[in-house]
Amino acid sequence: SRLSVRCRSKPQRQVCKTILQHFDAQYSEELGEQWKSARGVLLNPHSWQYGVLLNRFSDLTNLEQGLRALGYTSLLPRVQPESQSHTAHIPLQCLIHRDPVRLPNQGHQPSWLKQYFLLNAASVLPVLALDVRDGENVLDLCAAPGGKSLAILQTATPRLLHCNEVDTHRHDWLLKTLESYVPTTLQHLLSLTRLDGRSVGDERPGAYDKVLVDAPCSNDRSWLYTPDTHQGDIWLKERAQLPLLQKQLLCSALAAVRPGGVVVYSTCTMSQAENQSVMEAVLASYQGMELLDLTQLIDSLSDHFGFAHLHPPLGHLVIPKKGQTWGPMYVCRLKRVY
Ligand code: SAM
């Protein structure tokens, strides 16, 4: 069928004033001028861009060509910098457009694999930082709806990809995503569980080469559109509890990874309390952890993503700006030394 894109992506939505006030106070303090440009993007959903992650397991005949004819370009260079020194892995095919156009979602059809997954292109950053290799044992601790699990499978063929999600409804959604994109011949690589991620480290100590903690967080983009003030107040109370949960999940991940293994922590908030402060607290309380440098990867993406100047400078934060509306997405990579 012919490819086409839609321009006006979302119906007009109301901004929650309570949350905007809270963001204004917190982020102007934490991010200064950069909050102004991020604020402009977050308040204008019609400016939001969408990335297209191609599914290497599906029939892509003519699709990439068709997307390029529509003005899509590759987010990543052909040879990805993190893969140069080791055995090469498969380049992730994420296409982006300079305009806020949106491809239609593809419906779930039994016995047919979807060709693409729409995402905030900054979501591929934690997956690239994880840098999974063929044959590794990988845990995606907070996996639903499955965008990053799917992206991991686009970059390598792990021995095991354990996708965990505690919430029943979201677990079903995760299952559906994986069914829609992963061929039955590869389903044996996948293990799906519905555990509280905080217990996985105790239950499976040292079992994984790589662990992704894409933590539950205050999702700045969507929470700004919380339908009413009452809900906004509830959310602000919940927000205060998140750093503790995030630290517990990260500690569980550090216990679940083998010595020498890598843990990537990510969120889609700009909040320092949920990003750098979580990392600081965990690094201070956990021995044998080393912060890994991500400069090469960050530099390779700096033409497309706006990165914030972080205080303290721990990890990296993609911050939305005009014309490059990707993010928010925070990422930090740790190695368990012993
Ligand atoms: N990685 C997902 C993706 O790319 O599609 C998005 C993950 S979302 C940011 C965080 C997820 O963590 C939510 O689905 C939430 O239900 C789940 N979660 C919350 N608390 C959890 C816990 N204690 N253990 C495991 N998952 C949890």
Side-chain angles (χ1 to χ4, degrees):
S1 63
R2 280 192 54 213
L3 274 172
S4 63
V5 287
R6 276 184 284 138
C7 283
R8 293 184 77 80
S9 44
K10 294 251 160 80
Q12 197 64 46
R13 291 185 291 172
Q14 285 289 313
V15 170
C16 176
K17 288 206 176 65
T18 316
I19 288 181
L20 183 58
Q21 277 167 9
H22 182 84
F23 281 1
D24 277 335
Q26 181 181 353
Y27 291 148
S28 51
E29 168 99 20
E30 289 178 7
L31 297 163
E33 284 297 304
Q34 288 189 304
W35 165 236
K36 281 198 190 141
S37 79
R39 186 185 196 273
V41 172
L42 296 183
L43 291 180
N44 182 10
H46 293 309
S47 73
W48 296 358
Q49 292 160 281
Y50 293 86
V52 179
L53 178 68
L54 297 186
N55 182 16
R56 70 178 172 114
F57 307 119
S58 69
D59 179 3
L60 294 174
T61 318
N62 301 332
L63 181 72
E64 191 180 344
Q65 215 180 346
L67 290 174
R68 289 193 189 277
L70 289 170
Y72 282 88
T73 55
S74 292
L75 172 71
L76 303 161
R78 286 273 168 216
V79 178
Q80 287 158 28
E82 293 296 311
S83 63
Q84 282 166 354
S85 52
H86 315 277
T87 47
H89 60 70
I90 305 150
L92 192 76
Q93 283 270 65
C94 181
L95 300 183
I96 52 173
H97 203 288
R98 64 185 157 77
D99 298 326
V101 292
R102 193 180 195 280
L103 287 176
N105 285 316
Q106 295 185 313
H108 177 80
Q109 287 175 39
S111 332
W112 181 79
L113 295 177
K114 294 188 188 182
Q115 297 166 298
Y116 56 82
F117 184 89
L118 300 182
L119 78 180
N120 183 322
S123 298
V124 302
L125 185 56
V127 174
L128 295 172
L130 198 65
D131 194 26
V132 171
R133 304 279 146 177
D134 286 357
E136 288 184 327
N137 288 328
V138 183
L139 167 63
D140 186 354
L141 193 63
C142 307
K148 294 187 188 64
S149 300
L150 183 62
I152 288 170
L153 290 171
Q154 301 303 314
T155 65
T157 308
R159 192 167 82 86
L160 165 77
L161 176 59
H162 174 183
C163 307
N164 180 65
E165 167 58 50
V166 74
D167 179 272
T168 307
H169 169 70
R170 290 179 67 88
H171 182 273
D172 292 347
W173 190 5
L174 168 67
L175 185 67
K176 197 135 199 179
T177 303
L178 294 170
E179 274 174 13
S180 303
Y181 289 92
V182 183
T184 43
T185 50
L186 289 182
Q187 297 274 347
H188 66 279
L189 306 178
L190 304 176
S191 155
L192 266 73
T193 55
R194 205 179 303 152
L195 303 168
D196 184 326
R198 290 172 285 191
S199 67
V200 175
D202 283 341
E203 285 173 29
R204 304 180 190 183
Y208 303 93
D209 301 294
K210 305 265 166 80
V211 181
L212 175 63
V213 186
D214 189 35
C217 66
S218 38
N219 181 328
D220 295 342
R221 212 178 256 262
S222 66
W223 281 107
L224 201 47
Y225 295 90
T226 305
D228 60 68
T229 318
H230 176 62
Q231 183 58 44
D233 289 335
I234 295 176
W235 171 76
L236 288 177
K237 286 203 184 83
E238 281 176 12
R239 189 177 211 214
Q241 312 299 320
L242 283 167
L244 175 63
L245 173 62
Q246 290 156 343
K247 281 175 219 160
Q248 290 169 333
L249 288 166
L250 183 52
C251 287
S252 172
L254 290 168
V257 79
R258 66 167 168 82
V262 167
V263 172
V264 168
Y265 176 79
S266 59
T267 73
C268 56
T269 177
M270 295 178 279
S271 175
Q272 190 180 306
E274 297 177 48
N275 295 337
Q276 301 104 293
S277 302
V278 169
M279 298 308 304
E280 273 185 321
V282 169
L283 280 166
S285 61
Y286 234 89
Q287 302 246 299
M289 296 302 150
E290 182 184 305
L291 201 60
L292 290 178
D293 183 53
L294 282 170
T295 317
Q296 206 184 5
L297 176 63
I298 299 304
D299 286 350
S300 74
L301 291 164
S302 58
D303 285 348
H304 300 295
F305 296 159
F307 287 97
H309 309 294
L310 293 183
H311 310 286
L314 200 59
H316 300 270
L317 173 65
V318 181
I319 190 165
K321 61 180 188 181
K322 200 172 171 201
Q324 294 180 327
T325 66
W326 317 112
M329 180 57 60
Y330 175 81
V331 65
C332 196
R333 177 164 69 172
L334 290 176
K335 180 175 176 176
R336 177 171 168 188
V337 184
Y338 54 84

